[in-house]
Amino acid sequence: MNKKRAVPSLVKDPYLVEKRRNQMIRAAVRLFAEKGFHKTTTREIAKAAGFSIGTLYEYIETKEDVLYLVCEAIHKEVEERLREAINYSHTGAETLKSAIKGLIQVMDEMQDDVLLIYQEAKSLPNETMGYVLGREEEIAKHFEEIIRKGIEDGTITLEENLVKLMAENIMVLAEMWTFRRWALRKHYTLEEFTERQTSLLLKELQAKID
């Protein structure tokens, strides 16, 4: 994965940088969702964030910096909330079941944010875009760890060379609720979707749930 990019700031106070950038991120998420990245101006972001355009440029250099910060903040929240759903004190299969449910729940609650990343990340420079998209691989690694835990404790059956593929499958199946929600909601509730997808995945893994 490409190295995380440091966004230059004229302000050196870490507390103030974090505070102002969080204001920027919240404002930009709303504007990017409403208008798209290209139609949103930095002046609009500054106004929505509650400060001047001059102040905005003390904390970033370009509008692409704001988009990068938005994507990073969204991925960070997804990963933190997924971590909260993982309980490694259970068997691998039980841990996986709760983690899948947790990820789908996060995708439901953050669906507009997740969709924003896929719609707008292409506007980032190639190296930065590589890092942003690579963040999903980092999130998927949590599922690789859980699956390996299940293989070790005997509650999951899967060949080692398929672990990464299965982890990526879990990410895609969870994100399906975000990308295909307009169609899926006609036929399934979130609970039904979660139950069916989890059942399919655990069956493929021959998972043993007590």
Side-chain angles (χ1 to χ4, degrees):
M1 186 179 75
N2 292 331
K3 185 179 179 181
K4 182 177 180 179
R5 183 166 70 87
V7 176
S9 171
L10 298 176
V11 178
K12 302 308 176 185
D13 181 344
Y15 171 79
L16 196 53
V17 170
E18 182 178 7
K19 178 182 177 181
R20 292 300 191 201
R21 285 182 174 175
N22 283 340
Q23 290 174 282
M24 252 184 260
I25 289 165
R26 288 194 295 270
V29 166
R30 294 196 302 272
L31 289 167
F32 292 164
E34 292 170 6
K35 304 178 63 173
F37 172 74
H38 289 293
K39 290 184 179 180
T40 299
T41 67
T42 50
R43 190 172 297 278
E44 288 173 322
I45 295 171
K47 182 179 179 180
F51 41 78
S52 70
I53 186 69
T55 299
L56 179 90
Y57 279 111
E58 290 179 359
Y59 296 91
I60 52 99
E61 289 185 337
T62 67
K63 190 169 70 168
E64 286 74 17
D65 286 342
V66 181
L67 178 57
Y68 168 75
L69 291 172
V70 164
C71 292
E72 177 63 15
I74 292 170
H75 274 134
K76 182 180 178 181
E77 184 173 353
V78 169
E79 185 166 20
E80 286 177 350
R81 293 175 67 174
L82 174 61
R83 286 180 185 272
E84 292 173 2
I86 299 174
N87 186 342
Y88 283 103
S89 66
H90 296 155
T91 68
E94 291 167 335
T95 301
L96 183 61
K97 183 178 180 180
S98 62
I100 293 169
K101 181 179 179 180
L103 181 62
I104 294 175
Q105 184 69 38
V106 171
M107 290 299 162
D108 177 61
E109 295 173 0
M110 297 184 64
Q111 54 193 260
D112 291 334
D113 293 342
V114 173
L115 192 59
L116 186 153
I117 290 177
Y118 280 92
Q119 289 175 330
E120 306 297 351
K122 60 183 179 294
S123 299
L124 292 167
N126 288 339
E127 184 176 353
T128 305
M129 181 173 65
Y131 169 78
V132 167
L133 296 180
R135 286 286 280 117
E136 284 220 359
E137 289 188 59
E138 294 300 306
I139 296 172
K141 284 180 181 178
H142 291 290
F143 289 98
E144 292 183 41
E145 292 176 9
I146 296 169
I147 292 168
R148 289 193 175 96
K149 171 181 169 64
I151 293 171
E152 290 174 4
D153 66 25
T155 59
I156 288 175
T157 302
L158 188 69
E159 296 176 21
E160 171 59 32
N161 65 335
L162 296 177
V163 170
K164 182 173 181 58
L165 178 60
M166 180 55 67
E168 295 293 341
N169 280 344
I170 291 169
M171 293 294 296
V172 171
L173 288 173
E175 289 172 342
M176 187 188 300
W177 187 254
T178 293
F179 301 133
R180 299 284 298 173
R181 64 194 182 202
W182 56 272
L184 291 167
R185 282 177 172 171
K186 296 176 184 177
H187 307 283
Y188 308 99
T189 65
L190 176 64
E191 292 72 23
E192 289 169 340
F193 174 82
T194 301
E195 182 181 349
R196 294 308 305 151
Q197 293 289 51
T198 303
S199 177
L200 288 169
L201 289 164
L202 295 181
K203 183 178 180 181
E204 180 67 21
L205 292 166
Q206 302 176 47
K208 301 177 181 68
I209 305 291
D210 293 332

